[in-house]
mmCIF file of all heavy atoms in Angstrom:
data_model
loop_
_atom_site.group_PDB
_atom_site.id
_atom_site.type_symbol
_atom_site.label_atom_id
_atom_site.label_comp_id
_atom_site.label_asym_id
_atom_site.label_seq_id
_atom_site.Cartn_x
_atom_site.Cartn_y
_atom_site.Cartn_z
ATOM 1 N N GLY A 81 88.370 87.989 102.845
ATOM 2 C CA GLY A 81 89.495 88.343 101.981
ATOM 3 C C GLY A 81 89.092 88.442 100.523
ATOM 4 O O GLY A 81 89.532 89.347 99.802
ATOM 5 N N VAL A 82 88.234 87.549 100.069
ATOM 6 C CA VAL A 82 87.754 87.589 98.685
ATOM 7 C C VAL A 82 86.938 88.864 98.459
ATOM 8 O O VAL A 82 87.116 89.559 97.450
ATOM 9 C CB VAL A 82 86.933 86.321 98.344
ATOM 10 C CG1 VAL A 82 86.242 86.464 97.002
ATOM 11 C CG2 VAL A 82 87.830 85.087 98.362
ATOM 12 N N PHE A 83 86.056 89.183 99.398
ATOM 13 C CA PHE A 83 85.287 90.427 99.287
ATOM 14 C C PHE A 83 86.218 91.628 99.230
ATOM 15 O O PHE A 83 85.939 92.609 98.538
ATOM 16 C CB PHE A 83 84.320 90.580 100.468
ATOM 17 C CG PHE A 83 82.945 90.060 100.201
ATOM 18 C CD1 PHE A 83 82.649 88.722 100.393
ATOM 19 C CD2 PHE A 83 81.948 90.904 99.746
ATOM 20 C CE1 PHE A 83 81.386 88.233 100.144
ATOM 21 C CE2 PHE A 83 80.669 90.430 99.498
ATOM 22 C CZ PHE A 83 80.396 89.084 99.689
ATOM 23 N N GLY A 84 87.332 91.559 99.965
ATOM 24 C CA GLY A 84 88.296 92.654 99.962
ATOM 25 C C GLY A 84 88.854 92.939 98.576
ATOM 26 O O GLY A 84 89.071 94.090 98.209
ATOM 27 N N PHE A 85 89.089 91.887 97.785
ATOM 28 C CA PHE A 85 89.577 92.091 96.420
ATOM 29 C C PHE A 85 88.516 92.720 95.531
ATOM 30 O O PHE A 85 88.802 93.568 94.700
ATOM 31 C CB PHE A 85 90.020 90.768 95.789
ATOM 32 C CG PHE A 85 91.418 90.384 96.124
ATOM 33 C CD1 PHE A 85 91.677 89.252 96.850
ATOM 34 C CD2 PHE A 85 92.488 91.168 95.715
ATOM 35 C CE1 PHE A 85 92.977 88.900 97.167
ATOM 36 C CE2 PHE A 85 93.786 90.842 96.024
ATOM 37 C CZ PHE A 85 94.029 89.687 96.751
ATOM 38 N N PHE A 86 87.272 92.310 95.715
ATOM 39 C CA PHE A 86 86.203 92.789 94.852
ATOM 40 C C PHE A 86 85.670 94.167 95.226
ATOM 41 O O PHE A 86 85.207 94.897 94.356
ATOM 42 C CB PHE A 86 85.046 91.785 94.826
ATOM 43 C CG PHE A 86 85.330 90.588 93.975
ATOM 44 C CD1 PHE A 86 85.797 89.407 94.534
ATOM 45 C CD2 PHE A 86 85.154 90.633 92.602
ATOM 46 C CE1 PHE A 86 86.075 88.303 93.747
ATOM 47 C CE2 PHE A 86 85.427 89.535 91.801
ATOM 48 C CZ PHE A 86 85.891 88.361 92.377
ATOM 49 N N THR A 87 85.720 94.507 96.507
ATOM 50 C CA THR A 87 85.099 95.756 96.943
ATOM 51 C C THR A 87 86.042 96.717 97.669
ATOM 52 O O THR A 87 85.711 97.882 97.831
ATOM 53 C CB THR A 87 83.930 95.467 97.897
ATOM 54 O OG1 THR A 87 84.441 94.939 99.118
ATOM 55 C CG2 THR A 87 82.920 94.516 97.276
ATOM 56 N N GLY A 88 87.164 96.211 98.152
ATOM 57 C CA GLY A 88 88.061 97.029 98.966
ATOM 58 C C GLY A 88 87.713 96.964 100.439
ATOM 59 O O GLY A 88 88.431 97.505 101.276
ATOM 60 N N GLY A 103 85.710 98.709 93.858
ATOM 61 C CA GLY A 103 85.886 97.900 92.655
ATOM 62 C C GLY A 103 87.010 96.885 92.798
ATOM 63 O O GLY A 103 87.797 96.918 93.737
ATOM 64 N N LEU A 104 87.055 95.976 91.855
ATOM 65 C CA LEU A 104 88.070 94.928 91.816
ATOM 66 C C LEU A 104 89.441 95.558 91.599
ATOM 67 O O LEU A 104 89.606 96.426 90.743
ATOM 68 C CB LEU A 104 87.762 93.943 90.685
ATOM 69 C CG LEU A 104 88.720 92.768 90.517
ATOM 70 C CD1 LEU A 104 88.689 91.874 91.746
ATOM 71 C CD2 LEU A 104 88.334 91.961 89.280
ATOM 72 N N ASP A 105 90.402 95.113 92.380
ATOM 73 C CA ASP A 105 91.737 95.691 92.300
ATOM 74 C C ASP A 105 92.762 94.651 92.735
ATOM 75 O O ASP A 105 92.640 94.080 93.814
ATOM 76 C CB ASP A 105 91.805 96.918 93.213
ATOM 77 C CG ASP A 105 93.137 97.647 93.159
ATOM 78 O OD1 ASP A 105 94.028 97.234 92.396
ATOM 79 O OD2 ASP A 105 93.283 98.619 93.896
ATOM 80 N N PHE A 106 93.744 94.400 91.890
ATOM 81 C CA PHE A 106 94.811 93.467 92.226
ATOM 82 C C PHE A 106 96.131 94.200 92.414
ATOM 83 O O PHE A 106 97.187 93.678 92.119
ATOM 84 C CB PHE A 106 94.936 92.379 91.154
ATOM 85 C CG PHE A 106 93.789 91.408 91.172
ATOM 86 C CD1 PHE A 106 92.789 91.486 90.226
ATOM 87 C CD2 PHE A 106 93.693 90.438 92.161
ATOM 88 C CE1 PHE A 106 91.725 90.607 90.239
ATOM 89 C CE2 PHE A 106 92.625 89.555 92.190
ATOM 90 C CZ PHE A 106 91.636 89.639 91.225
ATOM 91 N N ARG A 110 96.323 96.241 97.750
ATOM 92 C CA ARG A 110 95.107 95.450 97.979
ATOM 93 C C ARG A 110 95.470 93.994 98.266
ATOM 94 O O ARG A 110 94.868 93.356 99.134
ATOM 95 C CB ARG A 110 94.183 95.572 96.766
ATOM 96 C CG ARG A 110 92.847 94.878 96.857
ATOM 97 C CD ARG A 110 91.757 95.634 97.604
ATOM 98 N NE ARG A 110 91.356 96.897 97.067
ATOM 99 C CZ ARG A 110 90.317 97.082 96.258
ATOM 100 N NH1 ARG A 110 89.572 96.064 95.874
ATOM 101 N NH2 ARG A 110 90.018 98.290 95.841
ATOM 102 N N ILE A 111 96.463 93.467 97.565
ATOM 103 C CA ILE A 111 96.905 92.090 97.809
ATOM 104 C C ILE A 111 97.438 91.958 99.232
ATOM 105 O O ILE A 111 97.057 91.046 99.970
ATOM 106 C CB ILE A 111 97.955 91.658 96.768
ATOM 107 C CG1 ILE A 111 97.295 91.497 95.395
ATOM 108 C CG2 ILE A 111 98.646 90.360 97.191
ATOM 109 C CD1 ILE A 111 98.261 91.325 94.248
ATOM 110 N N ASN A 114 94.732 92.070 101.935
ATOM 111 C CA ASN A 114 93.832 90.915 102.011
ATOM 112 C C ASN A 114 94.534 89.585 102.204
ATOM 113 O O ASN A 114 93.893 88.591 102.551
ATOM 114 C CB ASN A 114 92.958 90.866 100.751
ATOM 115 C CG ASN A 114 91.948 91.982 100.748
ATOM 116 O OD1 ASN A 114 91.031 91.990 101.550
ATOM 117 N ND2 ASN A 114 92.147 92.956 99.877
ATOM 118 N N LEU A 118 93.091 85.843 103.425
ATOM 119 C CA LEU A 118 93.094 84.717 102.497
ATOM 120 C C LEU A 118 93.923 83.562 103.037
ATOM 121 O O LEU A 118 93.504 82.400 102.976
ATOM 122 C CB LEU A 118 93.622 85.161 101.126
ATOM 123 C CG LEU A 118 92.775 86.200 100.386
ATOM 124 C CD1 LEU A 118 93.510 86.707 99.157
ATOM 125 C CD2 LEU A 118 91.421 85.611 100.003
#
Side-chain angles (χ1 to χ4, degrees):
V82 170
F83 266 85
F85 275 116
F86 284 97
T87 68
L104 181 64
D105 183 1
F106 289 103
R110 183 82 62 96
I111 290 169
N114 289 291
L118 296 171

